C-alpha cells in the first residue's frame, strides 16, 4: 500500500475519502479522482476519519496475490458504518475493479459504484446515478475514454508533481497482469505534456516526475523511437523547472540517445530506476523479459560512464517459478557488479491471471525467504558502502515535507539530493520551507539516508517555497480543508518496512 488519503464529513457539505493502493500510477490517478470530486462540489475532510466520509473511494491494485482479500476486508469494515448512515456511498476503482468487475458487487452488495482504469472520469456521474436509481452502478470501459491528464486534479504537493506521459503497456511479462488491466500503451502528444509542465511551473512547481508504465517506451504509439530523449531535452528548456525525474524505464527500450539526453540536460537528475527482476538469463527468458544479464550490465556501465555520480536503483523478484540456486547466484552477481544505491526486493507471489501463476516449479516459501534474506543483506552492505562515498560532498537539497519522521525530535529538516538520496540536515536559524533549496556538507552515511550535521552553508528561497507557503496560508484560512500529504517522488532510500511496490506497478 503506497498511500492513504483520509477525510471525514465537514458541515453540510458532502465529503470524500480516497484510499490508494499500489503504484505511482494509482497515486497519480487518485489525485485525479480527488480533483473530480472537488470539481463536483465534494470536500476532502480532515485526516483520521476512518470511513466517516460521505463517499469512500478505493483505488485498488491487483498485482499482489492477496489484493482482493485486503479489499474485501476493508469493505467489510465499512459495511456497518454504511448501514448506520443512509446516504453514505462506497466506490471501488482501479486495477482490481477492472479485473473483478461484477464480482465486487456480488461479494460486497453494499458497494455503490465499480469503475475501471479507463473511465475514472465517470466517477461523479456514477455516484449521482447510483444515488438517484438506488442501485449499484458497474461501468468498466475496455479502452481509454480520456487521457487522465485532461481531468481536474487535486495535487498533493505545491512544489513536486507527477506528469503522466503514457498509459498502458505493450510488454507481456509472465508475472504481470497490468497490461490486461491498463491496456496497450497510449502516448500523450509531446505538446500536451510540455504545456502541462509549463502550467505547473507557473504555479510554483519546480520538480516533476515523468510517469509511465514503461516510461522510456514513449514514442512507440506515435512512431518516434527517440521521442523520450527529445522530451527530456525539451524539459531542459523550460525556465523555472529545476528537477526532472522519470519512472519506470524498461531495459529493452533504454537506448543511447536517452543516456545522452540525461547527461546533457542539466535539470534531468542523476538518478535512474532500472528494474532488473532477475540476473539469470533462463529466468529472464521465463519472465519474458527481452534483455539478458550482459545487456543489463552494459546499460549500467554506459550510464556510469556518462553520469559518474548517478544513483541507480532497481527492482528484483526472488523465487520466480523454476529459479534454481545457480539462477539466484546470478542475481547476486549482478547486484555486486551493478552496485545499486538501493534495491526494491520482492518475494515472488502468484498474481491471479498471469502465466507465471500456472508455471511448474513453484518455489517453497522457506527457500524463497532464505534467498530473500541473503539478497537484502548483500544490498544493505552495498547501499551503505555507496552512501559512505557521499561523505564530504557538498550537495544542494530540495527541502521536503513529511520525509523525516524524527525531524521534530532531532531538530533537523529533510531534503532530497539531486540523485534522490534522502538527507537529514541541521535546522538553520532562518526560515526554510518545503520547496526551498539548501546547500549542505554530508558528514555521515547510513544504508538508507545521509546526515549533514554541520551548519547549512546556504539557503535559497524559491518560487516553489512561495507556492508551498501560499497553499498553507490558504488552508489555514479554511480549517475544513486539511493539509495535503506529500506524494513526492519514488523513494530511493527505502523506509521501513520495505515497500510493496516501487516503479510502475512493481512489475517493470
Amino acid at each position: 500500500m503506497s498511500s492513504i488519503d483520509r477525510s471525514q464529513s465537514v458541515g453540510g457539505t458532502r465529503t470524500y475519502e480516497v484510499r490508494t493502493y499500489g503504484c505511482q500510477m494509482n497515486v497519480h490517478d487518485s489525485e485525479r479522482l480527488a480533483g473530480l470530486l472537488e470539481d463536483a462540489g465534494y470536500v476532502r475532510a480532515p485526516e483520521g476519519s476512518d470511513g466517516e466520509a460521505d463517499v469512500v473511494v478505493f483505488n485498488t491494485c491487483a498485482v499482489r496475490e492477496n489484493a482482493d482479500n485486503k479489499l474485501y476486508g476493508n469493505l467489510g469494515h465499512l459495511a456497518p458504518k454504511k448501514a448506520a448512515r443512509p446516504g453514505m456511498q462506497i466506490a471501488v476503482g482501479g486495477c482490481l475493479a477492472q479485473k473483478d468487475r461484477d464480482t465486487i458487487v456480488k461479494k460486497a452488495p453494499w458497494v455503490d459504484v465499480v469503475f475501471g482504469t479507463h473511465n475514472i472520469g465517470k466517477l461523479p456521474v456514477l455516484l449521482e446515478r447510483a444515488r438517484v436509481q438506488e442501485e449499484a452502478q458497474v461501468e468498466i470501459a475496455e479502452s481509454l475514454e480520456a487521457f487522465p491528464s485532461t481531468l481536474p486534479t487535486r495535487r498533493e504537493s505545491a512544489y513536486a508533481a507527477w506528469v503522466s506521459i503514457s498509459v498502458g503497456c505493450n510488454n507481456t511479462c509472465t508475472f504481470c497482469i497490468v497490461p490486461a488491466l491498463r491496456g496497450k500503451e497510449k502516448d500523450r502528444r509531446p505538446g500536451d505534456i510540455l504545456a502541462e509542465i509549463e502550467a505547473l511551473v507557473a504555479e510554483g512547481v519546480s520538480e516533476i516526475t515523468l510517469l509511465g508504465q514503461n516510461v522510456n517506451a514513449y514514442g512507440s504509439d506515435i512512431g518516434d523511437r527517440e521521442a523520450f530523449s527529445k522530451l527530456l531535452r525539451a524539459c531542459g528548456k523550460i525556465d523555472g523547472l529545476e528537477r526532472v525525474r522519470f519512472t519506470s524505464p524498461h531495459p529493452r527500450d533504454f537506448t543511447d540517445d536517452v543516456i545522452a539526453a540525461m547527461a546533457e540536460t542539466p535539470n534531468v537528475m542523476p538518478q535512474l530506476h532500472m528494474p532488473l527482476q532477475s540476473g539469470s538469463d533462463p529466468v529472464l527468458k521465463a519472465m519474458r523479459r527481452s534483455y539478458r544479464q550482459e545487456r543489463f550490465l552494459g546499460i549500467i556501465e554506459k550510464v556510469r560512464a556518462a553520469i559518474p555520480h548517478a544513483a541507480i536503483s532497481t527492482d528484483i523478484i526472488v523465487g520466480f517459478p523454476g529459479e534454481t540456486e545457480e539462477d539466484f547466484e546470478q542475481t547476486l552477481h549482478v547486484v555486486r557488479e551493478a552496485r545499486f544505491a538501493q534495491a526494491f526486493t520482492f518475494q515472488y507471489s502468484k498474481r491471479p491471471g498471469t502465466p507465471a501463476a500456472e508455471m511448474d516449479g513453484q518455489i517453497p516459501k522457506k527457500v524463497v525467504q532464505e534467498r530473500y534474506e541473503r539478497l537484502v543483506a548483500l544490498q544493505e552492505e552495498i547501499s551503505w558502502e555507496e552512501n559512505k562515498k557521499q561523505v564530504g560532498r557538498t550537495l544542494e537539497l530540495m527541502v521536503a515535507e513529511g520525509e523525516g519522521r524524527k525531524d521534530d525530535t532531532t531538530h533537523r529538516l529533510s531534503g532530497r539530493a539531486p540523485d534522490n538520496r534522502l538527507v537529514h540536515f541541521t535546522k538553520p536559524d532562518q526560515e526554510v520551507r518545503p520547496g526551498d533549496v539548501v546547500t549542505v556538507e554530508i558528514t555521515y552515511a547510513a544504508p538508507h539516508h545521509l546526515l549533514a550535521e554541520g551548519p547549512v552553508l546556504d539557503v535559497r528561497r524559491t518560487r516553489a517555497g512561495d507556492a508551498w507557503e501560499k497553499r498553507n496560508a490558504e488552508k489555514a484560512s479554511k480549517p475544513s480543508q486539511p493539509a495535503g500529504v506529500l506524494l513526492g517522488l519514488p523513494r530511493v532510500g527505502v523506509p521501513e518496512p520495505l515497500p510493496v511496490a516501487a516503479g510502475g506497478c512493481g512489475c517493470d
Side-chain angles (χ1 to χ4, degrees):
M1 185 167 60
S2 66
S3 67
I4 295 180
D5 182 7
R6 299 185 179 278
S7 49
Q8 70 184 86
S9 299
V10 176
T13 306
R14 283 181 63 79
T15 58
Y16 74 91
E17 169 185 353
V18 180
R19 301 186 184 185
T20 308
Y21 303 87
C23 67
Q24 292 97 330
M25 297 292 282
N26 270 17
V27 173
H28 190 36
D29 282 349
S30 288
E31 289 187 313
R32 306 292 181 192
L33 293 171
L36 284 161
L37 291 169
E38 293 191 7
D39 197 52
Y42 293 84
V43 172
R44 191 181 80 165
E47 301 284 336
S49 67
D50 193 23
E52 298 299 326
D54 296 305
V55 173
V56 179
V57 183
F58 291 87
N59 190 8
T60 64
C61 172
V63 302
R64 303 301 290 178
E65 185 177 15
N66 61 349
D68 54 348
N69 294 333
K70 288 184 178 180
L71 172 64
Y72 294 120
N74 284 316
L75 291 176
H77 175 71
L78 288 183
K81 295 187 177 186
K82 188 173 190 296
R85 294 181 57 208
M88 179 183 178
Q89 292 182 297
I90 300 172
V92 179
C95 289
L96 193 62
Q98 188 80 21
K99 182 173 78 74
D100 284 0
R101 305 177 182 233
D102 295 332
T103 304
I104 293 174
V105 174
K106 290 177 182 177
K107 289 187 175 181
W110 54 93
V111 169
D112 298 275
V113 171
V114 179
F115 62 102
T117 59
H118 299 308
N119 62 333
I120 64 175
K122 289 288 187 67
L123 176 60
V125 172
L126 293 172
L127 286 169
E128 181 64 12
R129 192 184 301 164
R131 186 186 66 80
V132 172
Q133 297 182 7
E134 298 184 342
E135 64 179 12
Q137 301 296 309
V138 179
E139 187 169 309
I140 306 292
E142 297 301 331
S143 59
L144 193 67
E145 293 185 346
F147 205 93
S149 293
T150 64
L151 303 174
T153 306
R154 185 191 193 281
R155 302 254 180 203
E156 294 297 322
S157 171
Y159 56 89
W162 307 103
V163 175
S164 183
I165 69 171
S166 65
V167 294
C169 180
N170 294 336
N171 294 321
T172 58
C173 302
T174 55
F175 55 81
C176 182
I177 198 171
V178 170
L181 304 179
R182 293 260 180 190
K184 293 292 185 181
E185 181 177 325
K186 185 173 180 59
D187 297 333
R188 290 178 74 189
R189 291 165 51 94
D192 293 340
I193 297 169
L194 294 171
E196 180 181 356
I197 295 172
E198 289 171 349
L200 288 167
V201 171
E203 294 171 4
V205 168
S206 61
E207 178 169 333
I208 60 103
T209 301
L210 303 175
L211 190 62
Q213 217 75 53
N214 182 6
V215 69
N216 61 318
Y218 176 74
S220 63
D221 183 48
I222 56 179
D224 185 353
R225 290 183 60 84
E226 295 189 353
F228 186 62
S229 62
K230 292 175 183 176
L231 181 61
L232 291 177
R233 293 182 186 277
C235 287
K237 298 177 182 178
I238 297 177
D239 187 38
L241 179 58
E242 296 195 18
R243 295 186 173 192
V244 178
R245 306 185 192 274
F246 57 89
T247 194
S248 278
H250 191 294
R252 182 195 67 187
D253 303 298
F254 207 82
T255 49
D256 291 349
D257 62 297
V258 173
I259 297 173
M262 290 178 65
E264 296 165 9
T265 309
N267 65 355
V268 176
M269 294 294 96
Q271 173 217 347
L272 176 64
H273 184 76
M274 179 65 72
L276 169 66
Q277 307 302 6
S278 174
S280 162
D281 287 355
V283 172
L284 289 170
K285 182 178 180 180
M287 289 177 168
R288 287 189 200 151
R289 303 288 285 181
S290 54
Y291 55 90
R292 297 297 179 259
Q293 180 187 120
E294 183 178 2
R295 159 74 172 153
F296 186 92
L297 288 175
I299 293 172
I300 302 300
E301 183 178 357
K302 287 180 178 180
V303 171
R304 289 251 161 80
I307 315 167
H309 289 300
I312 302 174
S313 58
T314 195
D315 296 336
I316 299 174
I317 297 173
V318 178
F320 187 80
E323 181 188 75
T324 65
E325 178 62 24
E326 182 180 355
D327 291 325
F328 179 66
E329 286 292 340
Q330 288 300 304
T331 295
L332 297 181
H333 168 71
V334 174
V335 170
R336 293 187 188 101
E337 291 292 311
R339 300 196 64 80
F340 300 113
Q342 208 60 243
F344 297 87
T345 51
F346 308 88
Q347 297 186 37
Y348 171 77
S349 63
K350 289 184 178 180
R351 290 160 178 176
T354 64
E358 307 300 324
M359 286 182 175
D360 294 332
Q362 301 287 330
I363 311 298
K365 170 66 176 176
K366 182 178 180 180
V367 175
V368 176
Q369 181 67 33
E370 187 273 336
R371 290 176 182 171
Y372 176 81
E373 290 173 1
R374 284 159 56 196
L375 173 61
V376 169
L378 173 62
Q379 183 56 54
E380 286 279 302
E381 178 184 337
I382 292 173
S383 294
W384 200 356
E385 290 173 355
E386 291 302 305
N387 274 359
K388 287 177 181 177
K389 295 177 182 178
Q390 305 299 310
V391 174
R393 291 189 66 195
T394 298
L395 300 176
E396 276 197 339
L397 312 179
M398 181 173 289
V399 181
E401 182 177 35
E403 294 267 28
R405 291 172 294 176
K406 300 180 181 178
D407 282 352
D408 289 339
T409 57
T410 58
H411 303 289
R412 292 174 178 147
L413 297 176
S414 298
R416 291 281 173 175
D419 64 9
N420 211 26
R421 283 182 165 92
L422 177 63
V423 182
H424 306 300
F425 62 94
T426 302
K427 189 174 182 179
D429 293 333
Q430 65 192 101
E431 180 189 25
V432 177
R433 308 160 302 177
D436 286 340
V437 175
V438 298
T439 303
V440 301
E441 181 179 334
I442 304 303
T443 58
Y444 176 83
H448 302 305
H449 69 268
L450 302 171
L451 292 182
E453 299 164 298
V456 170
L457 303 177
D458 184 61
V459 175
R460 177 164 60 87
R461 293 173 67 86
T462 65
R463 291 175 62 253
D466 294 342
W468 179 89
E469 189 172 22
K470 179 182 178 183
R471 176 182 285 197
N472 272 30
E474 290 172 349
K475 288 170 183 171
S477 66
K478 299 177 182 178
S480 63
Q481 292 286 350
V485 178
L486 171 66
L487 298 183
L489 302 163
R491 299 184 177 189
V492 172
V494 186
E496 297 82 17
L498 287 171
V500 173
C505 274
C507 53
D508 301 279

